[in-house]
Amino acid sequence: MNYRKAVPLPPVTLDDVRGAQKMLTGVARVTAMEGSRYLTQLVGAPVHLKCENLQRTGSFKLRGAYVRIAGLLPEERAAGVVAASAGNHAQGVALASSLLGVHSTVFMPKGAPLPKISATRDYGAEVRLHGHVVDETLAAAQEYAAETGAVFIHPFDHPDVIAGQGTVGLEILEQCPEVRTIVVGIGGGGLAAGIAVAVKALRPDVRIVGVQAAGSAAYPPSLAAGRPVSIENPATMADGIKVGRPGDVPFAIVGDLVDEVRTVSEDELSAALLLCLERAKLVVEPAGASPVAALLSDPGAFEGPVVAVLSGGNVDPVLMQRVLRHGMAAQGRYLAVRLRLTDRPGALATLLGVLSVVDANVLDVSHVRTDPRLGLTEAEVELHLETKGPAHCAEVGDALRQAGYIVID
């Protein structure tokens, strides 16, 4: 739905974004713009991928963090900075602080992925693990700021941060001047707001579409209410856009300049991440893949040329494994099935022979003989299979039933 409405002039201007671009020269990379043949065919118009997953620290967050910290007064820099984040913002603040010679303290949840904790430390920050959810971590960081005088660096709710993120929009216009639609993931709203400020000032005809995970979509109800509202228990694998309440500063800009906010499901996010890896050879985190998920879910809704912003690539390997398997299952390329068979010599070999005939690739087998649910002569087998799509999954199930097996699920 379109929630465009009249609001006061945004606190961030094109001049602010251009100033941020000069400040970031030699600091942030001008990331690549890659074409996608598959998405182009799907959408029926050219689709390009803006690869912020290849930015320093693996996401766009360095841009806003650097501009914010660089704008501090000397006495503020001397007091140091503090931030709270589960990953991307933490790394952006850590590197920006190191480049500017400012001490940084970053609070991270105790359950944050180890690679992200290690990377934040390697970029020069003092890492403190506190709480189990980001809200607890955020409260600890703000308490630390009040006690020590360190400047709290918000991940999205500050004009300097938004101006820094807006430099992505300037690069898009330079790299794809014919762009008609920009699709970008939204969490708190800093990236979408910054891009909107830059692009709408220069090309008001360009349509900007924000994308949220359905389980963590605070913007649609907030835009409908005309003010930021909180949602309870946001839940999504896309932790980069898992935010329960829009920021006050970006909300005003998004409400005025972003044309539409869409939501995508977890299955669509998984499929998008898998597509980026297989077709584009790009490692993208679930939040970064959200614009691609929107294109996959409704390809006819986007006028081309389209630019999809891949906002980050910092994905934990364990999560990557789970998401890829989820994405394969959503596409009918991975099938888990349990069945019962007679417990006799050669029974498992016979079962595997049935699967071989229908060309199902066995990835894993679990064979259980001792269980109160089983009869004296029964065994239970759980199979993880690589399949070729929904039709092939149905073919496998039919072949097993025709062979006389009791398929449990």
Side-chain angles (χ1 to χ4, degrees), residues 123-181:
Y123 286 127
E126 176 188 345
V127 174
R128 299 192 179 192
L129 302 180
H130 185 92
H132 296 281
V133 296
V134 174
D135 286 345
E136 295 173 351
T137 308
L138 180 64
Q142 291 173 326
E143 182 179 346
Y144 176 89
E147 292 174 351
T148 66
V151 179
F152 178 69
I153 306 299
H154 200 283
F156 50 81
D157 204 11
H158 192 280
D160 289 347
V161 172
I162 294 171
Q165 321 305 29
T167 59
V168 176
L170 294 180
E171 291 178 16
I172 289 173
L173 294 182
E174 292 165 1
Q175 294 170 310
C176 185
E178 68 278 14
V179 63
R180 296 291 301 167
T181 306

Side-chain angles (χ1 to χ4, degrees), residues 35-383:
S36 171
R37 181 179 301 176
Y38 178 86
L39 290 173
T40 293
Q41 292 175 344
L42 184 69
V43 173
V47 175
H48 306 280
L49 306 176
K50 177 59 173 169
C51 300
E52 281 297 290
N53 59 309
L54 303 180
Q55 184 57 262
R56 296 177 71 179
T57 75
S59 87
F60 71 95
K61 289 289 190 177
L62 171 65
R63 298 173 183 263
Y66 187 91
V67 173
R68 173 75 175 101
I69 297 170
L72 296 178
L73 298 172
E75 56 270 27
E76 292 175 319
R77 291 197 189 192
V81 299
V82 61
S85 168
N88 288 347
H89 181 57
Q91 294 173 66
V93 168
L95 179 57
S97 299
S98 294
L99 293 173
L100 291 164
V102 176
H103 177 75
S104 63
T105 303
V106 176
F107 285 78
M108 303 182 75
K110 292 180 180 178
L114 292 178
K116 293 185 178 182
I117 294 173
S118 177
T120 303
R121 286 184 173 133
D122 288 344
Y123 286 127
E126 176 188 345
V127 174
R128 299 192 179 192
L129 302 180
H130 185 92
H132 296 281
V133 296
V134 174
D135 286 345
E136 295 173 351
T137 308
L138 180 64
Q142 291 173 326
E143 182 179 346
Y144 176 89
E147 292 174 351
T148 66
V151 179
F152 178 69
I153 306 299
H154 200 283
F156 50 81
D157 204 11
H158 192 280
D160 289 347
V161 172
I162 294 171
Q165 321 305 29
T167 59
V168 176
L170 294 180
E171 291 178 16
I172 289 173
L173 294 182
E174 292 165 1
Q175 294 170 310
C176 185
E178 68 278 14
V179 63
R180 296 291 301 167
T181 306
I182 296 173
V183 190
V184 55
I186 295 185
L191 177 61
I195 289 175
V197 168
V199 172
K200 289 292 188 177
L202 297 170
R203 286 281 308 281
D205 59 304
V206 173
R207 184 166 174 257
I208 299 177
V209 179
V211 183
Q212 292 208 286
S216 184
Y219 262 90
S222 296
L223 291 167
R227 57 181 175 79
V229 298
S230 299
I231 58 171
E232 293 185 2
N233 303 316
T236 175
M237 71 176 77
D239 58 349
I241 54 174
K242 184 180 176 181
V243 178
R245 182 188 184 277
D248 293 329
V249 180
F251 174 79
I253 299 172
V254 169
D256 187 42
L257 300 179
V258 172
D259 296 276
E260 181 183 7
V261 176
R262 291 174 166 250
T263 61
V264 293
S265 69
E266 299 298 284
D267 281 352
E268 288 162 346
L269 287 168
S270 297
L273 188 149
L274 183 60
L275 185 144
C276 289
L277 185 62
E278 287 191 325
R279 298 301 184 99
K281 315 306 178 190
L282 292 168
V283 175
V284 182
E285 63 189 89
S290 59
V292 175
L295 296 178
L296 292 177
S297 67
D298 191 6
F302 301 90
E303 180 184 358
V306 177
V307 173
V309 182
L310 307 182
S311 58
N314 292 317
V315 56
D316 178 55
V318 175
L319 176 62
M320 171 70 86
Q321 185 179 34
R322 290 169 47 205
V323 171
L324 290 180
R325 182 168 289 187
H326 186 81
M328 291 178 69
Q331 292 186 346
R333 294 170 52 193
Y334 179 86
L335 178 65
V337 61
R338 284 193 303 134
L339 49 84
R340 289 181 184 175
L341 45 74
T342 302
D343 188 13
R344 58 176 174 76
L348 183 58
T350 301
L351 169 61
L352 297 179
V354 173
L355 296 171
S356 177
V357 170
V358 292
D359 201 25
N361 185 31
V362 179
L363 301 175
D364 190 29
V365 177
S366 176
H367 194 192
V368 178
R369 288 188 174 90
T370 305
D371 192 292
R373 298 171 301 162
L374 300 175
L376 184 62
T377 61
E378 287 183 321
E380 186 174 284
V381 174
E382 181 175 346
L383 298 159

Side-chain angles (χ1 to χ4, degrees), residues 9-20 159 162-164 166 170 193-194 197-198 201 253 257:
L9 290 175
V12 183
T13 67
L14 175 61
D15 286 342
D16 294 328
V17 179
R18 283 176 166 160
I162 294 171
L170 294 180
V197 168
I253 299 172
L257 300 179

